Amino acid sequence: MDKKTYYVTVQSGEIMEDSTAFNYDFVINANEEEYDQIKQLFEDTADAEFATYSHSFPLSLSTYYNEENSTYDNHLRDIYIKLHELGTTETRQHIETMHILDSNTKT
């Protein structure tokens, strides 16, 4: 499959082909399947973030809340692993300086 260049911002979960459409953090090259994988990771992370937020008020520091945080953190880490895998040299170097992958880089 042919790869296209995409521009990604993790905070808002956006991945677009147009670099002028928004401020982006990372540049990746992905085929359609890889693009779909990243979109799914963003959706999973958003769901986990919502669960963390919705449970934080009544259960502040409970075990359940910590499990929800762990799920969110794992999804976010998966995003960075995938971005590192598909990223340009600059993207990979930037992610490496964040030290988010130090203990388990898949690439």
PDB file of all heavy atoms in Angstrom, residues 8-45:
ATOM      1  N   VAL A   8       0.207  15.216  12.742  1.00  0.00           N
ATOM      2  CA  VAL A   8      -0.487  14.707  13.919  1.00  0.00           C
ATOM      3  C   VAL A   8      -0.305  15.639  15.107  1.00  0.00           C
ATOM      4  O   VAL A   8       0.802  16.121  15.369  1.00  0.00           O
ATOM      5  CB  VAL A   8       0.072  13.310  14.295  1.00  0.00           C
ATOM      6  CG1 VAL A   8      -0.643  12.735  15.502  1.00  0.00           C
ATOM      7  CG2 VAL A   8       0.003  12.351  13.101  1.00  0.00           C
ATOM      8  N   THR A   9      -1.378  15.843  15.841  1.00  0.00           N
ATOM      9  CA  THR A   9      -1.287  16.465  17.150  1.00  0.00           C
ATOM     10  C   THR A   9      -1.929  15.512  18.157  1.00  0.00           C
ATOM     11  O   THR A   9      -3.065  15.077  17.985  1.00  0.00           O
ATOM     12  CB  THR A   9      -1.922  17.867  17.201  1.00  0.00           C
ATOM     13  OG1 THR A   9      -1.740  18.425  18.495  1.00  0.00           O
ATOM     14  CG2 THR A   9      -3.384  17.863  16.859  1.00  0.00           C
ATOM     15  N   VAL A  10      -1.177  15.137  19.158  1.00  0.00           N
ATOM     16  CA  VAL A  10      -1.624  14.138  20.115  1.00  0.00           C
ATOM     17  C   VAL A  10      -2.680  14.697  21.053  1.00  0.00           C
ATOM     18  O   VAL A  10      -3.682  14.034  21.335  1.00  0.00           O
ATOM     19  CB  VAL A  10      -0.426  13.564  20.909  1.00  0.00           C
ATOM     20  CG1 VAL A  10      -0.891  12.615  22.005  1.00  0.00           C
ATOM     21  CG2 VAL A  10       0.537  12.859  19.967  1.00  0.00           C
ATOM     22  N   GLN A  11      -2.509  15.902  21.528  1.00  0.00           N
ATOM     23  CA  GLN A  11      -3.420  16.472  22.520  1.00  0.00           C
ATOM     24  C   GLN A  11      -4.869  16.461  22.049  1.00  0.00           C
ATOM     25  O   GLN A  11      -5.757  16.086  22.799  1.00  0.00           O
ATOM     26  CB  GLN A  11      -3.002  17.889  22.891  1.00  0.00           C
ATOM     27  CG  GLN A  11      -3.869  18.492  23.974  1.00  0.00           C
ATOM     28  CD  GLN A  11      -3.401  19.877  24.360  1.00  0.00           C
ATOM     29  OE1 GLN A  11      -2.531  20.452  23.733  1.00  0.00           O
ATOM     30  NE2 GLN A  11      -3.996  20.413  25.402  1.00  0.00           N
ATOM     31  N   SER A  12      -5.100  16.827  20.806  1.00  0.00           N
ATOM     32  CA  SER A  12      -6.474  16.857  20.292  1.00  0.00           C
ATOM     33  C   SER A  12      -6.838  15.593  19.522  1.00  0.00           C
ATOM     34  O   SER A  12      -7.976  15.427  19.087  1.00  0.00           O
ATOM     35  CB  SER A  12      -6.677  18.082  19.398  1.00  0.00           C
ATOM     36  OG  SER A  12      -5.822  18.015  18.274  1.00  0.00           O
ATOM     37  N   GLY A  13      -5.875  14.707  19.318  1.00  0.00           N
ATOM     38  CA  GLY A  13      -6.142  13.464  18.615  1.00  0.00           C
ATOM     39  C   GLY A  13      -6.417  13.640  17.132  1.00  0.00           C
ATOM     40  O   GLY A  13      -7.181  12.896  16.546  1.00  0.00           O
ATOM     41  N   GLU A  14      -5.771  14.619  16.532  1.00  0.00           N
ATOM     42  CA  GLU A  14      -5.999  14.890  15.112  1.00  0.00           C
ATOM     43  C   GLU A  14      -4.866  14.337  14.259  1.00  0.00           C
ATOM     44  O   GLU A  14      -3.706  14.399  14.636  1.00  0.00           O
ATOM     45  CB  GLU A  14      -6.123  16.388  14.876  1.00  0.00           C
ATOM     46  CG  GLU A  14      -7.370  16.983  15.497  1.00  0.00           C
ATOM     47  CD  GLU A  14      -7.469  18.464  15.232  1.00  0.00           C
ATOM     48  OE1 GLU A  14      -6.905  19.225  16.035  1.00  0.00           O
ATOM     49  OE2 GLU A  14      -8.085  18.832  14.219  1.00  0.00           O
ATOM     50  N   ILE A  15      -5.258  13.840  13.096  1.00  0.00           N
ATOM     51  CA  ILE A  15      -4.297  13.367  12.108  1.00  0.00           C
ATOM     52  C   ILE A  15      -4.845  13.789  10.744  1.00  0.00           C
ATOM     53  O   ILE A  15      -5.943  13.393  10.360  1.00  0.00           O
ATOM     54  CB  ILE A  15      -4.061  11.844  12.201  1.00  0.00           C
ATOM     55  CG1 ILE A  15      -3.129  11.365  11.099  1.00  0.00           C
ATOM     56  CG2 ILE A  15      -5.339  11.064  12.231  1.00  0.00           C
ATOM     57  CD1 ILE A  15      -2.652   9.938  11.242  1.00  0.00           C
ATOM     58  N   MET A  16      -4.085  14.638  10.055  1.00  0.00           N
ATOM     59  CA  MET A  16      -4.574  15.214   8.807  1.00  0.00           C
ATOM     60  C   MET A  16      -3.493  15.213   7.738  1.00  0.00           C
ATOM     61  O   MET A  16      -2.309  15.148   8.046  1.00  0.00           O
ATOM     62  CB  MET A  16      -5.070  16.636   9.068  1.00  0.00           C
ATOM     63  CG  MET A  16      -6.188  16.695  10.105  1.00  0.00           C
ATOM     64  SD  MET A  16      -6.838  18.334  10.347  1.00  0.00           S
ATOM     65  CE  MET A  16      -7.714  18.567   8.813  1.00  0.00           C
ATOM     66  N   GLU A  17      -3.921  15.315   6.490  1.00  0.00           N
ATOM     67  CA  GLU A  17      -2.992  15.378   5.367  1.00  0.00           C
ATOM     68  C   GLU A  17      -2.523  16.801   5.085  1.00  0.00           C
ATOM     69  O   GLU A  17      -1.499  16.989   4.435  1.00  0.00           O
ATOM     70  CB  GLU A  17      -3.652  14.816   4.106  1.00  0.00           C
ATOM     71  CG  GLU A  17      -3.868  13.324   4.153  1.00  0.00           C
ATOM     72  CD  GLU A  17      -4.452  12.795   2.865  1.00  0.00           C
ATOM     73  OE1 GLU A  17      -3.824  12.985   1.803  1.00  0.00           O
ATOM     74  OE2 GLU A  17      -5.543  12.194   2.926  1.00  0.00           O
ATOM     75  N   ASP A  18      -3.233  17.786   5.567  1.00  0.00           N
ATOM     76  CA  ASP A  18      -2.938  19.188   5.293  1.00  0.00           C
ATOM     77  C   ASP A  18      -2.165  19.797   6.466  1.00  0.00           C
ATOM     78  O   ASP A  18      -2.713  19.968   7.554  1.00  0.00           O
ATOM     79  CB  ASP A  18      -4.246  19.953   5.066  1.00  0.00           C
ATOM     80  CG  ASP A  18      -4.040  21.416   4.724  1.00  0.00           C
ATOM     81  OD1 ASP A  18      -2.884  21.868   4.610  1.00  0.00           O
ATOM     82  OD2 ASP A  18      -5.059  22.113   4.579  1.00  0.00           O
ATOM     83  N   SER A  19      -0.909  20.133   6.228  1.00  0.00           N
ATOM     84  CA  SER A  19      -0.074  20.684   7.303  1.00  0.00           C
ATOM     85  C   SER A  19      -0.492  22.085   7.715  1.00  0.00           C
ATOM     86  O   SER A  19      -0.096  22.565   8.773  1.00  0.00           O
ATOM     87  CB  SER A  19       1.392  20.701   6.879  1.00  0.00           C
ATOM     88  OG  SER A  19       1.587  21.616   5.818  1.00  0.00           O
ATOM     89  N   THR A  20      -1.291  22.752   6.901  1.00  0.00           N
ATOM     90  CA  THR A  20      -1.704  24.124   7.224  1.00  0.00           C
ATOM     91  C   THR A  20      -3.046  24.170   7.937  1.00  0.00           C
ATOM     92  O   THR A  20      -3.491  25.238   8.338  1.00  0.00           O
ATOM     93  CB  THR A  20      -1.780  24.980   5.942  1.00  0.00           C
ATOM     94  OG1 THR A  20      -2.783  24.433   5.069  1.00  0.00           O
ATOM     95  CG2 THR A  20      -0.444  25.017   5.236  1.00  0.00           C
ATOM     96  N   ALA A  21      -3.703  23.029   8.097  1.00  0.00           N
ATOM     97  CA  ALA A  21      -5.039  23.003   8.692  1.00  0.00           C
ATOM     98  C   ALA A  21      -5.021  23.257  10.199  1.00  0.00           C
ATOM     99  O   ALA A  21      -5.989  23.751  10.752  1.00  0.00           O
ATOM    100  CB  ALA A  21      -5.713  21.668   8.402  1.00  0.00           C
ATOM    101  N   PHE A  22      -3.934  22.934  10.867  1.00  0.00           N
ATOM    102  CA  PHE A  22      -3.826  23.119  12.314  1.00  0.00           C
ATOM    103  C   PHE A  22      -2.361  23.027  12.710  1.00  0.00           C
ATOM    104  O   PHE A  22      -1.514  22.623  11.920  1.00  0.00           O
ATOM    105  CB  PHE A  22      -4.673  22.085  13.068  1.00  0.00           C
ATOM    106  CG  PHE A  22      -4.196  20.658  12.920  1.00  0.00           C
ATOM    107  CD1 PHE A  22      -3.485  20.041  13.933  1.00  0.00           C
ATOM    108  CD2 PHE A  22      -4.459  19.933  11.767  1.00  0.00           C
ATOM    109  CE1 PHE A  22      -3.039  18.731  13.799  1.00  0.00           C
ATOM    110  CE2 PHE A  22      -4.025  18.613  11.629  1.00  0.00           C
ATOM    111  CZ  PHE A  22      -3.312  18.019  12.646  1.00  0.00           C
ATOM    112  N   ASN A  23      -2.078  23.412  13.938  1.00  0.00           N
ATOM    113  CA  ASN A  23      -0.713  23.255  14.451  1.00  0.00           C
ATOM    114  C   ASN A  23      -0.504  21.781  14.790  1.00  0.00           C
ATOM    115  O   ASN A  23      -1.286  21.195  15.517  1.00  0.00           O
ATOM    116  CB  ASN A  23      -0.514  24.098  15.714  1.00  0.00           C
ATOM    117  CG  ASN A  23      -0.524  25.567  15.399  1.00  0.00           C
ATOM    118  OD1 ASN A  23      -0.118  25.980  14.326  1.00  0.00           O
ATOM    119  ND2 ASN A  23      -1.006  26.370  16.333  1.00  0.00           N
ATOM    120  N   TYR A  24       0.537  21.211  14.260  1.00  0.00           N
ATOM    121  CA  TYR A  24       0.784  19.788  14.466  1.00  0.00           C
ATOM    122  C   TYR A  24       2.076  19.593  15.254  1.00  0.00           C
ATOM    123  O   TYR A  24       2.932  20.453  15.314  1.00  0.00           O
ATOM    124  CB  TYR A  24       0.838  19.045  13.133  1.00  0.00           C
ATOM    125  CG  TYR A  24       1.917  19.530  12.194  1.00  0.00           C
ATOM    126  CD1 TYR A  24       3.182  18.975  12.229  1.00  0.00           C
ATOM    127  CD2 TYR A  24       1.673  20.563  11.291  1.00  0.00           C
ATOM    128  CE1 TYR A  24       4.185  19.415  11.381  1.00  0.00           C
ATOM    129  CE2 TYR A  24       2.672  21.016  10.441  1.00  0.00           C
ATOM    130  CZ  TYR A  24       3.912  20.441  10.483  1.00  0.00           C
ATOM    131  OH  TYR A  24       4.906  20.896   9.655  1.00  0.00           O
ATOM    132  N   ASP A  25       2.179  18.407  15.860  1.00  0.00           N
ATOM    133  CA  ASP A  25       3.348  18.060  16.663  1.00  0.00           C
ATOM    134  C   ASP A  25       4.306  17.143  15.917  1.00  0.00           C
ATOM    135  O   ASP A  25       5.511  17.223  16.101  1.00  0.00           O
ATOM    136  CB  ASP A  25       2.918  17.328  17.946  1.00  0.00           C
ATOM    137  CG  ASP A  25       1.962  18.143  18.791  1.00  0.00           C
ATOM    138  OD1 ASP A  25       2.220  19.337  18.993  1.00  0.00           O
ATOM    139  OD2 ASP A  25       0.954  17.566  19.244  1.00  0.00           O
ATOM    140  N   PHE A  26       3.748  16.236  15.110  1.00  0.00           N
ATOM    141  CA  PHE A  26       4.546  15.186  14.499  1.00  0.00           C
ATOM    142  C   PHE A  26       4.173  14.977  13.038  1.00  0.00           C
ATOM    143  O   PHE A  26       3.027  15.195  12.646  1.00  0.00           O
ATOM    144  CB  PHE A  26       4.352  13.859  15.247  1.00  0.00           C
ATOM    145  CG  PHE A  26       4.665  13.951  16.709  1.00  0.00           C
ATOM    146  CD1 PHE A  26       3.655  13.973  17.652  1.00  0.00           C
ATOM    147  CD2 PHE A  26       5.979  14.030  17.144  1.00  0.00           C
ATOM    148  CE1 PHE A  26       3.943  14.063  19.000  1.00  0.00           C
ATOM    149  CE2 PHE A  26       6.270  14.124  18.494  1.00  0.00           C
ATOM    150  CZ  PHE A  26       5.254  14.143  19.423  1.00  0.00           C
ATOM    151  N   VAL A  27       5.141  14.498  12.265  1.00  0.00           N
ATOM    152  CA  VAL A  27       4.921  14.140  10.870  1.00  0.00           C
ATOM    153  C   VAL A  27       5.193  12.647  10.737  1.00  0.00           C
ATOM    154  O   VAL A  27       6.220  12.155  11.215  1.00  0.00           O
ATOM    155  CB  VAL A  27       5.857  14.928   9.925  1.00  0.00           C
ATOM    156  CG1 VAL A  27       5.609  14.537   8.476  1.00  0.00           C
ATOM    157  CG2 VAL A  27       5.699  16.430  10.125  1.00  0.00           C
ATOM    158  N   ILE A  28       4.248  11.944  10.125  1.00  0.00           N
ATOM    159  CA  ILE A  28       4.396  10.507   9.923  1.00  0.00           C
ATOM    160  C   ILE A  28       4.102  10.152   8.471  1.00  0.00           C
ATOM    161  O   ILE A  28       3.495  10.944   7.740  1.00  0.00           O
ATOM    162  CB  ILE A  28       3.473   9.689  10.849  1.00  0.00           C
ATOM    163  CG1 ILE A  28       2.001   9.965  10.527  1.00  0.00           C
ATOM    164  CG2 ILE A  28       3.789   9.959  12.313  1.00  0.00           C
ATOM    165  CD1 ILE A  28       1.043   8.975  11.162  1.00  0.00           C
ATOM    166  N   ASN A  29       4.503   8.963   8.088  1.00  0.00           N
ATOM    167  CA  ASN A  29       4.167   8.402   6.785  1.00  0.00           C
ATOM    168  C   ASN A  29       3.445   7.093   7.049  1.00  0.00           C
ATOM    169  O   ASN A  29       4.004   6.190   7.684  1.00  0.00           O
ATOM    170  CB  ASN A  29       5.426   8.168   5.956  1.00  0.00           C
ATOM    171  CG  ASN A  29       6.112   9.480   5.640  1.00  0.00           C
ATOM    172  OD1 ASN A  29       5.539  10.350   5.017  1.00  0.00           O
ATOM    173  ND2 ASN A  29       7.342   9.625   6.095  1.00  0.00           N
ATOM    174  N   ALA A  30       2.182   7.014   6.589  1.00  0.00           N
ATOM    175  CA  ALA A  30       1.372   5.838   6.900  1.00  0.00           C
ATOM    176  C   ALA A  30       0.510   5.440   5.712  1.00  0.00           C
ATOM    177  O   ALA A  30       0.067   6.298   4.946  1.00  0.00           O
ATOM    178  CB  ALA A  30       0.471   6.139   8.094  1.00  0.00           C
ATOM    179  N   ASN A  31       0.275   4.129   5.613  1.00  0.00           N
ATOM    180  CA  ASN A  31      -0.693   3.659   4.624  1.00  0.00           C
ATOM    181  C   ASN A  31      -2.080   3.704   5.268  1.00  0.00           C
ATOM    182  O   ASN A  31      -2.220   4.082   6.428  1.00  0.00           O
ATOM    183  CB  ASN A  31      -0.316   2.263   4.100  1.00  0.00           C
ATOM    184  CG  ASN A  31      -0.287   1.205   5.181  1.00  0.00           C
ATOM    185  OD1 ASN A  31      -1.076   1.210   6.124  1.00  0.00           O
ATOM    186  ND2 ASN A  31       0.639   0.262   5.061  1.00  0.00           N
ATOM    187  N   GLU A  32      -3.082   3.289   4.517  1.00  0.00           N
ATOM    188  CA  GLU A  32      -4.460   3.380   5.010  1.00  0.00           C
ATOM    189  C   GLU A  32      -4.678   2.561   6.278  1.00  0.00           C
ATOM    190  O   GLU A  32      -5.325   3.014   7.224  1.00  0.00           O
ATOM    191  CB  GLU A  32      -5.426   2.911   3.917  1.00  0.00           C
ATOM    192  CG  GLU A  32      -6.877   3.133   4.253  1.00  0.00           C
ATOM    193  CD  GLU A  32      -7.802   2.762   3.112  1.00  0.00           C
ATOM    194  OE1 GLU A  32      -7.357   2.774   1.941  1.00  0.00           O
ATOM    195  OE2 GLU A  32      -8.967   2.444   3.397  1.00  0.00           O
ATOM    196  N   GLU A  33      -4.116   1.374   6.322  1.00  0.00           N
ATOM    197  CA  GLU A  33      -4.267   0.512   7.500  1.00  0.00           C
ATOM    198  C   GLU A  33      -3.602   1.142   8.733  1.00  0.00           C
ATOM    199  O   GLU A  33      -4.167   1.144   9.832  1.00  0.00           O
ATOM    200  CB  GLU A  33      -3.666  -0.861   7.225  1.00  0.00           C
ATOM    201  CG  GLU A  33      -3.796  -1.831   8.373  1.00  0.00           C
ATOM    202  CD  GLU A  33      -3.170  -3.185   8.074  1.00  0.00           C
ATOM    203  OE1 GLU A  33      -3.081  -3.565   6.882  1.00  0.00           O
ATOM    204  OE2 GLU A  33      -2.762  -3.859   9.038  1.00  0.00           O
ATOM    205  N   GLU A  34      -2.419   1.687   8.566  1.00  0.00           N
ATOM    206  CA  GLU A  34      -1.705   2.329   9.679  1.00  0.00           C
ATOM    207  C   GLU A  34      -2.442   3.583  10.136  1.00  0.00           C
ATOM    208  O   GLU A  34      -2.531   3.860  11.334  1.00  0.00           O
ATOM    209  CB  GLU A  34      -0.278   2.664   9.250  1.00  0.00           C
ATOM    210  CG  GLU A  34       0.558   1.423   9.003  1.00  0.00           C
ATOM    211  CD  GLU A  34       1.819   1.683   8.200  1.00  0.00           C
ATOM    212  OE1 GLU A  34       1.864   2.651   7.405  1.00  0.00           O
ATOM    213  OE2 GLU A  34       2.775   0.895   8.366  1.00  0.00           O
ATOM    214  N   TYR A  35      -2.980   4.325   9.180  1.00  0.00           N
ATOM    215  CA  TYR A  35      -3.790   5.505   9.503  1.00  0.00           C
ATOM    216  C   TYR A  35      -4.981   5.083  10.376  1.00  0.00           C
ATOM    217  O   TYR A  35      -5.260   5.708  11.399  1.00  0.00           O
ATOM    218  CB  TYR A  35      -4.267   6.172   8.212  1.00  0.00           C
ATOM    219  CG  TYR A  35      -5.268   7.279   8.424  1.00  0.00           C
ATOM    220  CD1 TYR A  35      -4.844   8.590   8.661  1.00  0.00           C
ATOM    221  CD2 TYR A  35      -6.639   7.032   8.376  1.00  0.00           C
ATOM    222  CE1 TYR A  35      -5.754   9.608   8.852  1.00  0.00           C
ATOM    223  CE2 TYR A  35      -7.555   8.043   8.573  1.00  0.00           C
ATOM    224  CZ  TYR A  35      -7.111   9.331   8.804  1.00  0.00           C
ATOM    225  OH  TYR A  35      -8.022  10.345   9.005  1.00  0.00           O
ATOM    226  N   ASP A  36      -5.676   4.022   9.963  1.00  0.00           N
ATOM    227  CA  ASP A  36      -6.821   3.534  10.732  1.00  0.00           C
ATOM    228  C   ASP A  36      -6.408   3.083  12.134  1.00  0.00           C
ATOM    229  O   ASP A  36      -7.145   3.297  13.102  1.00  0.00           O
ATOM    230  CB  ASP A  36      -7.507   2.373  10.000  1.00  0.00           C
ATOM    231  CG  ASP A  36      -8.232   2.818   8.737  1.00  0.00           C
ATOM    232  OD1 ASP A  36      -8.504   4.031   8.575  1.00  0.00           O
ATOM    233  OD2 ASP A  36      -8.504   1.940   7.885  1.00  0.00           O
ATOM    234  N   GLN A  37      -5.234   2.475  12.251  1.00  0.00           N
ATOM    235  CA  GLN A  37      -4.744   2.043  13.561  1.00  0.00           C
ATOM    236  C   GLN A  37      -4.536   3.240  14.485  1.00  0.00           C
ATOM    237  O   GLN A  37      -4.895   3.195  15.663  1.00  0.00           O
ATOM    238  CB  GLN A  37      -3.441   1.265  13.408  1.00  0.00           C
ATOM    239  CG  GLN A  37      -3.600  -0.089  12.777  1.00  0.00           C
ATOM    240  CD  GLN A  37      -2.259  -0.736  12.444  1.00  0.00           C
ATOM    241  OE1 GLN A  37      -1.196  -0.140  12.575  1.00  0.00           O
ATOM    242  NE2 GLN A  37      -2.313  -1.990  11.996  1.00  0.00           N
ATOM    243  N   ILE A  38      -3.949   4.297  13.946  1.00  0.00           N
ATOM    244  CA  ILE A  38      -3.719   5.490  14.762  1.00  0.00           C
ATOM    245  C   ILE A  38      -5.042   6.132  15.160  1.00  0.00           C
ATOM    246  O   ILE A  38      -5.227   6.543  16.312  1.00  0.00           O
ATOM    247  CB  ILE A  38      -2.804   6.493  14.035  1.00  0.00           C
ATOM    248  CG1 ILE A  38      -1.405   5.898  13.914  1.00  0.00           C
ATOM    249  CG2 ILE A  38      -2.769   7.835  14.764  1.00  0.00           C
ATOM    250  CD1 ILE A  38      -0.458   6.711  13.071  1.00  0.00           C
ATOM    251  N   LYS A  39      -5.971   6.222  14.221  1.00  0.00           N
ATOM    252  CA  LYS A  39      -7.291   6.780  14.551  1.00  0.00           C
ATOM    253  C   LYS A  39      -7.940   5.974  15.675  1.00  0.00           C
ATOM    254  O   LYS A  39      -8.517   6.544  16.606  1.00  0.00           O
ATOM    255  CB  LYS A  39      -8.202   6.792  13.320  1.00  0.00           C
ATOM    256  CG  LYS A  39      -7.798   7.791  12.248  1.00  0.00           C
ATOM    257  CD  LYS A  39      -7.829   9.217  12.722  1.00  0.00           C
ATOM    258  CE  LYS A  39      -9.230   9.743  12.812  1.00  0.00           C
ATOM    259  NZ  LYS A  39      -9.284  11.157  13.199  1.00  0.00           N
ATOM    260  N   GLN A  40      -7.831   4.641  15.619  1.00  0.00           N
ATOM    261  CA  GLN A  40      -8.406   3.792  16.659  1.00  0.00           C
ATOM    262  C   GLN A  40      -7.704   4.023  18.003  1.00  0.00           C
ATOM    263  O   GLN A  40      -8.353   4.075  19.048  1.00  0.00           O
ATOM    264  CB  GLN A  40      -8.326   2.314  16.266  1.00  0.00           C
ATOM    265  CG  GLN A  40      -9.028   1.395  17.253  1.00  0.00           C
ATOM    266  CD  GLN A  40     -10.515   1.690  17.361  1.00  0.00           C
ATOM    267  OE1 GLN A  40     -11.211   1.729  16.359  1.00  0.00           O
ATOM    268  NE2 GLN A  40     -10.995   1.924  18.568  1.00  0.00           N
ATOM    269  N   LEU A  41      -6.397   4.180  17.969  1.00  0.00           N
ATOM    270  CA  LEU A  41      -5.667   4.473  19.207  1.00  0.00           C
ATOM    271  C   LEU A  41      -6.131   5.784  19.820  1.00  0.00           C
ATOM    272  O   LEU A  41      -6.292   5.889  21.044  1.00  0.00           O
ATOM    273  CB  LEU A  41      -4.163   4.516  18.936  1.00  0.00           C
ATOM    274  CG  LEU A  41      -3.477   3.175  18.705  1.00  0.00           C
ATOM    275  CD1 LEU A  41      -2.054   3.388  18.172  1.00  0.00           C
ATOM    276  CD2 LEU A  41      -3.457   2.351  19.979  1.00  0.00           C
ATOM    277  N   PHE A  42      -6.351   6.790  18.986  1.00  0.00           N
ATOM    278  CA  PHE A  42      -6.858   8.071  19.494  1.00  0.00           C
ATOM    279  C   PHE A  42      -8.252   7.909  20.099  1.00  0.00           C
ATOM    280  O   PHE A  42      -8.552   8.476  21.155  1.00  0.00           O
ATOM    281  CB  PHE A  42      -6.875   9.139  18.394  1.00  0.00           C
ATOM    282  CG  PHE A  42      -5.548   9.806  18.169  1.00  0.00           C
ATOM    283  CD1 PHE A  42      -5.047   9.942  16.886  1.00  0.00           C
ATOM    284  CD2 PHE A  42      -4.806  10.328  19.218  1.00  0.00           C
ATOM    285  CE1 PHE A  42      -3.824  10.571  16.655  1.00  0.00           C
ATOM    286  CE2 PHE A  42      -3.590  10.951  19.005  1.00  0.00           C
ATOM    287  CZ  PHE A  42      -3.100  11.076  17.723  1.00  0.00           C
ATOM    288  N   GLU A  43      -9.109   7.122  19.453  1.00  0.00           N
ATOM    289  CA  GLU A  43     -10.448   6.888  19.988  1.00  0.00           C
ATOM    290  C   GLU A  43     -10.381   6.142  21.317  1.00  0.00           C
ATOM    291  O   GLU A  43     -11.085   6.497  22.266  1.00  0.00           O
ATOM    292  CB  GLU A  43     -11.288   6.104  18.979  1.00  0.00           C
ATOM    293  CG  GLU A  43     -11.684   6.923  17.763  1.00  0.00           C
ATOM    294  CD  GLU A  43     -12.404   6.102  16.708  1.00  0.00           C
ATOM    295  OE1 GLU A  43     -12.969   5.027  17.040  1.00  0.00           O
ATOM    296  OE2 GLU A  43     -12.401   6.532  15.541  1.00  0.00           O
ATOM    297  N   ASP A  44      -9.544   5.124  21.399  1.00  0.00           N
ATOM    298  CA  ASP A  44      -9.389   4.367  22.640  1.00  0.00           C
ATOM    299  C   ASP A  44      -8.874   5.257  23.766  1.00  0.00           C
ATOM    300  O   ASP A  44      -9.327   5.162  24.911  1.00  0.00           O
ATOM    301  CB  ASP A  44      -8.430   3.189  22.445  1.00  0.00           C
ATOM    302  CG  ASP A  44      -8.979   2.120  21.512  1.00  0.00           C
ATOM    303  OD1 ASP A  44     -10.197   2.132  21.212  1.00  0.00           O
ATOM    304  OD2 ASP A  44      -8.170   1.273  21.063  1.00  0.00           O
ATOM    305  N   THR A  45      -7.950   6.130  23.432  1.00  0.00           N
ATOM    306  CA  THR A  45      -7.386   7.042  24.430  1.00  0.00           C
ATOM    307  C   THR A  45      -8.432   8.038  24.900  1.00  0.00           C
ATOM    308  O   THR A  45      -8.536   8.322  26.098  1.00  0.00           O
ATOM    309  CB  THR A  45      -6.159   7.768  23.859  1.00  0.00           C
ATOM    310  OG1 THR A  45      -5.212   6.780  23.444  1.00  0.00           O
ATOM    311  CG2 THR A  45      -5.508   8.677  24.891  1.00  0.00           C
TER     312      THR A  45
END
